[in-house]
Amino acid sequence: MSAVGVQPTAQSYHAIISYLGQTAQNGGVLALDVGSAVSTLSASVAGHTSTTIRTDIGMGHSARSLLDGVGLDEVRKWLPFQASDNEILAYALNKSVRPATIPETQRALYLEHALLRAGIGALLNASRPLWEQKLDPTGVGDMPAFSHIIGAGAALTRTGHPGFNALLLLDALQPTGVTTLQADPYGLIAALGALARI
């Protein structure tokens, strides 16, 4: 029971990242949640917080729509081996049908992480114009400096090793400057954002 009612996860991200952005000393704050069906990127840049929600980017239910959105070549560029169109498509279709499965072979793990990096890249490309309006109206600039980057969602936080989590974030986002990487494997940001209004 609550007087505020149900709050969407993206709204919680927006509230928490806005708060963290106000308290950050050097640079902005970015949080990225890649879920099974929906992905959210919330960033505080130059005192302004923007949140991007993509229902076509996900590592489970939305894996096929992610592949359709980014294209086969965008996924293929992250692979250390030659993969046919059918192999990549079959992997995305299997993830859509069985979203809770985990890769069983190293080749499948490479496909999973390539799909993840391509999805994060698409989410980043959708979000960057909002930041660049605040920083550089010409739209010609490097990635803004983020003092903290927070990764959430099983694809980014349950790889089996914190180093893999960090490498996936660094590969996909290509941050500039000195950044503290953090993980939210238990979904605390969504809960804290809902509590913040109370």
Side-chain angles (χ1 to χ4, degrees):
M1 304 261 315
S2 170
V4 263
V6 177
Q7 183 170 331
T9 300
Q11 199 170 0
S12 293
Y13 269 87
H14 190 86
I16 295 297
I17 297 309
S18 180
Y19 171 75
L20 292 176
Q22 292 171 16
T23 60
Q25 302 279 331
N26 304 315
V29 178
L30 181 143
L32 172 65
D33 181 3
V34 180
S36 175
V38 178
S39 293
T40 304
L41 190 149
S42 191
S44 177
V45 177
H48 176 75
T49 303
S50 62
T51 301
T52 304
I53 307 160
R54 293 286 298 266
T55 58
D56 61 335
I57 296 177
M59 290 303 297
H61 294 94
S62 297
R64 171 61 197 264
S65 58
L66 187 159
L67 182 60
D68 290 343
V70 299
L72 292 162
D73 290 335
E74 193 63 29
V75 174
R76 193 176 282 118
K77 80 176 188 182
W78 291 106
L79 294 172
F81 52 81
Q82 291 294 326
S84 68
D85 292 356
N86 286 340
E87 182 180 9
I88 298 170
L89 179 60
Y91 188 81
L93 287 171
N94 280 326
K95 285 297 286 188
S96 295
V97 175
R98 298 173 191 88
T101 58
I102 58 172
E104 295 178 359
T105 65
Q106 188 166 10
R107 191 173 183 93
L109 183 64
Y110 279 127
L111 286 164
E112 173 101 356
H113 288 170
L115 197 61
L116 174 66
R117 289 180 182 112
I120 292 172
L123 188 58
L124 188 63
N125 289 338
S127 302
R128 280 191 71 161
L130 299 171
W131 313 336
E132 287 166 354
Q133 288 173 6
K134 297 292 176 190
L135 293 175
D136 181 11
T138 64
V140 183
D142 292 330
M143 177 84 158
F146 290 104
S147 62
H148 288 81
I149 294 177
I150 304 166
L156 281 172
T157 62
R158 297 188 185 160
T159 61
H161 193 281
F164 293 144
N165 301 347
L167 287 173
L168 286 169
L169 279 172
L170 293 173
D171 273 353
L173 296 174
Q174 299 288 315
T176 58
V178 178
T179 301
T180 300
L181 298 178
Q182 296 174 310
D184 181 20
Y186 306 112
L188 291 177
I189 291 176
L192 290 173
L195 288 172
R197 294 180 66 187
I198 300 169

